[in-house]
């Protein structure tokens, strides 16, 4: 059976996931495009409903094998579901994993975000952290929702590769320090020598406009990226990318 109406109940539930309220109420999020859907399947994520256009039968078979309820849809229905200009013919809803704050944080590099509000920045930082082998991403209060459509597209599947925790940085930063983590934050008043991260390090990236909050920065070693040109600062995701790379390189010798 092919779904032809955008008023179909399953389609309406999937469309509601574009809003945070819908994601919270249903406990699932929405992904689109073959690459992201394939990453979700290969990572073992729990897919709920999948929507496929004619001509994508191999994807339909893979999705059915993963346990998803596969629905074939008309182009008009696919366009009503997706947010990209040219839908790729495949999208799905995925159960949002529960990631409680760990009693003991894993060793390695943890990237903490202090009120990073731009969805694209959050997704890009997540992807960079994944690429550089980070142990996890810790989101403080006020951060964008990592399961919103734009961060998911920017992260390109990395949301399924490393844990993403959410909590109050004011509470978690002291816990991390007590567990032996070196705390480093990017800060305009920081020094120009990047601290030795050791084997356990937390990198804090601050808000796009205001930087790291005073309460969090007071507990960290502050570092300022050297600027050789006339710009005073960098985009949050660009600065994060440079710092994540440098710390990961130091930690891996």
């Amino acid at each position: 059976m092919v779904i032809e109406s955008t008023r179909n109940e399953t389609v309406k539930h999937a469309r509601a996931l574009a809003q945070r309220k819908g994601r919270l109420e249903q406990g699932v999020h929405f992904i689109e495009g073959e690459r992201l859907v394939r990453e979700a399947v290969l990572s073992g994520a729990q897919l709920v409903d999948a929507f496929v256009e004619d001509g994508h039968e191999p994807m339909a078979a893979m999705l059915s094998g993963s346990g998803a309820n596969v629905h074939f849809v008309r182009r008009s229905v696919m366009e009503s579901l997706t947010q990209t200009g040219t839908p790729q013919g495949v999208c799905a809803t995925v159960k949002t994993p529960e990631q409680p704050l760990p009693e003991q944080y894993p060793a390695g590099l943890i990237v903490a975000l202090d009120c990073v509000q731009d969805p694209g920045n959050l997704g890009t930082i997540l992807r960079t952290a994944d690429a550089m082998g980070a142990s996890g991403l810790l989101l403080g209060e006020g951060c964008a929702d990592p399961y919103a459509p734009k961060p998911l597209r920017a992260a390109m599947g990395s949301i399924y590769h490393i844990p993403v925790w959410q909590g109050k940085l004011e509470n978690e930063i002291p816990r991390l320090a007590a567990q032996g983590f070196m705390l480093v934050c990017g800060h305009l008043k920081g020094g120009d020598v990047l601290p030795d991260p050791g084997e356990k390090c937390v990198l804090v990236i601050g808000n796009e406009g205001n930087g790291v909050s005073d309460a969090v920065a007071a507990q960290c070693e502050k570092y300022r990226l050297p600027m050789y040109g006339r710009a005073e600062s960098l985009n949050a995701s660009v600065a994060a990318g440079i710092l994540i790379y440098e710390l990961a390189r130091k930690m891996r010798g």
Side-chain angles (χ1 to χ4, degrees):
M1 177 181 175
V2 178
I3 297 178
E4 300 185 351
S5 173
T6 59
R7 297 182 180 180
N8 177 277
E9 284 300 313
T10 304
V11 172
K12 287 166 65 177
H13 282 301
R15 261 204 318 271
L17 301 177
Q19 305 301 319
R20 188 184 184 99
K21 178 182 178 182
R23 294 191 293 274
L24 291 175
E25 289 178 347
Q26 298 184 46
V28 296
H29 58 276
F30 180 85
I31 58 176
E32 59 178 284
E34 284 197 18
R35 178 171 181 174
L36 187 49
V37 171
R38 191 181 301 275
E39 283 288 339
V41 172
L42 293 176
S43 70
Q46 184 179 340
L47 277 75
V48 183
D49 289 299
F51 304 90
V52 182
E53 283 187 278
D54 285 336
H56 295 271
E57 284 73 15
M59 283 294 296
M62 182 184 72
L63 288 161
S64 181
S66 73
N69 301 312
V70 178
H71 311 276
F72 282 92
V73 298
R74 297 295 187 202
R75 184 67 172 180
S76 59
V77 175
M78 182 63 68
E79 290 175 343
S80 76
L81 284 166
T82 58
Q83 297 190 6
T84 53
T86 307
Q88 297 181 30
V90 180
C91 56
T93 63
V94 185
K95 184 173 177 58
T96 302
E98 295 183 7
Q99 295 280 9
L101 291 166
E103 288 295 323
Q104 190 76 25
Y105 281 93
L109 176 62
I110 292 174
V111 180
L113 304 187
D114 187 4
C115 201
V116 171
Q117 298 176 321
D118 183 89
N121 281 342
L122 191 153
T124 300
I125 292 170
L126 172 56
R127 184 181 177 192
T128 304
D130 175 28
M132 292 296 106
S135 301
L137 189 73
L138 174 60
L139 306 183
E141 290 183 320
C143 284
D145 181 1
Y147 294 98
K150 190 170 181 179
L152 287 170
R153 290 196 300 272
M156 296 184 69
S158 289
I159 192 81
Y160 304 118
H161 299 164
I162 63 175
V164 178
W165 307 292
Q166 300 186 57
K168 291 185 177 181
L169 289 192
E170 293 85 349
N171 296 339
E172 296 309 303
I173 290 297
R175 285 186 60 222
L176 285 155
Q179 292 177 20
F181 281 83
M182 163 64 73
L183 308 175
V184 180
C185 72
H187 201 282
L188 292 176
K189 295 182 179 179
D192 58 1
V193 177
L194 187 63
D196 181 0
E199 296 181 351
K200 300 167 72 175
C201 181
V202 177
L203 169 64
V204 183
I205 301 297
N207 173 267
E208 291 86 352
N210 301 317
V212 178
S213 63
D214 292 341
V216 172
Q219 303 176 69
C220 299
E221 293 287 334
K222 303 179 186 68
Y223 173 71
R224 175 174 177 154
L225 277 171
M227 301 288 170
Y228 304 114
R230 297 173 64 182
E232 293 182 353
S233 62
L234 294 171
N235 169 275
S237 63
V238 174
I242 296 170
L243 290 170
I244 291 169
Y245 171 79
E246 287 295 335
L247 288 170
R249 184 174 63 85
K250 283 177 173 286
M251 295 175 78
R252 293 172 184 270

